[in-house]
């Protein structure tokens, strides 16, 4: 049995990770920031932990709850989107909301939990987006979000040498039918998560610091 931590699991992709890993009887810790989210995790048999990823103090409390654990797999899923393109001034509040959730939260999760992943020689995946790719980008649609996911990718790749016993990857889930992805997305959440689970199960040390698609394809450019 593996021990898994899912950060940002109240709904969408994160909750589906909990559902699928619990379906295989894995031991799953999962975080949400409010009671309804925590209940949904509990109903799936996950051990629920309260965490708002924009609250730096919250990480210390969760780290304390996990003291002594070895994590075979941790997944940072929490994320938010913002509308707007490079033709409009970014609203500072929106900028802060997106960057604090998608980048600062991920960096805090990395420093807080990567040692527990190293203890198991495990894997730490960060859910990024193809919208964060710089190579070949053709539009500024979702400008702040794009910048946040590009920053997340750098945070993950650059941290890899500091955590030599863990495999850190950034992984794109595809365009997925969730509250964030919207009803027009081609992938169902079950499909995306099932494919990412396969990809994560197949990670080896040669994937350290990689940027991957949900289907396991490795991006050649960031
Ligand atoms: N869906 C797609 O097509 C797609 C494509 C590329 C990348 N992604 C990425 O995949 C990840 C999951 O997205 P999704 O599609 O599952 O979206 P979603 O259904 O909107 O879920 C977003 C999750 O992030 C959590 N979250 C947001 N802010 C948080 C905070 N401050 N503290 C704790 N949790 C917070 C939400 O919790 P609450 O319920 O408390 O708000 C929710 O569990 C995101 O990182 C997103 O950028 C999604």
């Amino acid at each position: 049995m593996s021990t898994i931590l899912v950060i940002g699991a109240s709904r969408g992709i994160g909750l589906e990770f909990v559902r699928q890993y619990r379906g295989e009887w894995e031991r799953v810790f999962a975080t949400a920031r409010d009671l309804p989210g925590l209940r949904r995790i509990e109903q799936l048999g996950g051990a629920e932990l309260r965490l708002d990823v924009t609250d730096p103090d919250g990480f210390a409390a969760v780290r304390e709850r996990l003291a002594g654990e070895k994590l075979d797999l941790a997944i940072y899923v929490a994320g938010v989107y913002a509308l707007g393109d490079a033709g409009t001034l970014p609203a500072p509040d929106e900028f802060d909301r997106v960057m604090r959730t998608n980048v600062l939260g991920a960096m805090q999760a990395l420093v807080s939990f990567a040692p527990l992943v190293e203890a198991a020689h495990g894997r730490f995946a960060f859910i990024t987006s193809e919208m964060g790719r710089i190579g070949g980008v053709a539009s500024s649609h979702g400008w702040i979000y794009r910048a946040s996911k590009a920053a997340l990718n750098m945070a993950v790749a650059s941290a890899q040498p500091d955590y030599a016993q863990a495999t850190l990857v950034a992984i794109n889930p595809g365009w997925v039918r969730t509250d964030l992805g919207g009803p027009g997305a081609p992938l169902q959440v079950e499909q995306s998560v099932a494919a990412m689970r396969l990809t994560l199960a197949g990670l080896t040390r040669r994937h350290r610091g990689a940027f991957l698609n949900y289907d396991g394809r490795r991006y050649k450019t960031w």
Side-chain angles (χ1 to χ4, degrees):
M1 194 198 295
S2 298
T3 301
I4 295 165
L5 171 66
V6 185
I7 303 145
S10 67
R11 56 196 165 94
I13 291 170
L15 190 64
E16 184 60 22
F17 269 120
V18 177
R19 187 191 319 279
Q20 293 194 18
Y21 281 124
R22 284 296 302 147
E24 299 201 331
W25 299 103
E26 306 291 18
R27 187 162 169 257
V28 179
F29 293 97
T31 78
R33 59 178 159 174
D34 62 14
L35 262 184
L38 293 166
R39 288 238 167 79
R40 287 192 284 276
I41 292 166
E42 189 188 13
Q43 278 162 6
L44 294 173
E48 76 278 16
L49 302 162
R50 190 189 281 263
L51 178 65
D52 181 330
V53 300
T54 62
D55 168 23
D57 295 338
F59 284 92
V62 174
R63 181 72 174 73
E64 214 162 280
R65 281 277 310 275
L66 294 175
E69 294 289 348
K70 294 178 179 181
L71 299 174
D72 299 289
L73 174 65
I75 313 173
Y76 187 88
V77 190
V80 289
Y81 186 79
L83 295 170
D85 59 25
T88 327
L89 276 175
D93 286 356
E94 272 296 84
F95 182 89
D96 287 351
R97 183 180 73 93
V98 176
M99 290 293 176
R100 289 182 75 89
T101 308
N102 297 1
V103 190
L104 181 60
M107 292 167 93
Q108 276 169 328
L110 200 153
V111 174
S112 302
F113 307 126
L116 306 183
V117 176
E118 281 198 299
H121 294 271
R123 298 147 284 156
F124 202 154
F126 295 79
I127 306 295
T128 185
S129 169
E130 195 158 296
M131 290 180 72
R133 283 187 69 195
I134 294 173
V137 68
S139 154
S140 65
H141 159 77
W143 201 30
I144 301 174
Y145 181 78
R146 284 181 190 279
S148 76
K149 292 297 190 179
L152 170 64
N153 290 350
M154 175 56 87
V156 174
S158 61
Q160 178 64 82
D162 295 298
Y163 297 97
Q165 303 308 317
T167 298
L168 311 182
V169 296
I171 184 165
N172 167 43
W175 184 16
V176 188
R177 223 167 300 151
T178 60
D179 294 338
L180 189 151
L187 279 176
Q188 289 180 351
V189 69
E190 295 83 0
Q191 290 175 286
S192 166
V193 169
M196 285 194 282
R197 283 176 48 233
L198 266 182
T199 296
L200 296 177
L203 292 183
T204 65
R205 287 184 66 80
R206 80 185 163 79
H207 290 101
R208 286 155 41 84
F211 176 19
L212 302 168
N213 197 25
Y214 66 96
D215 59 7
R217 192 164 39 91
R218 191 172 184 154
Y219 289 108
K220 291 196 178 68
T221 58
W222 288 82

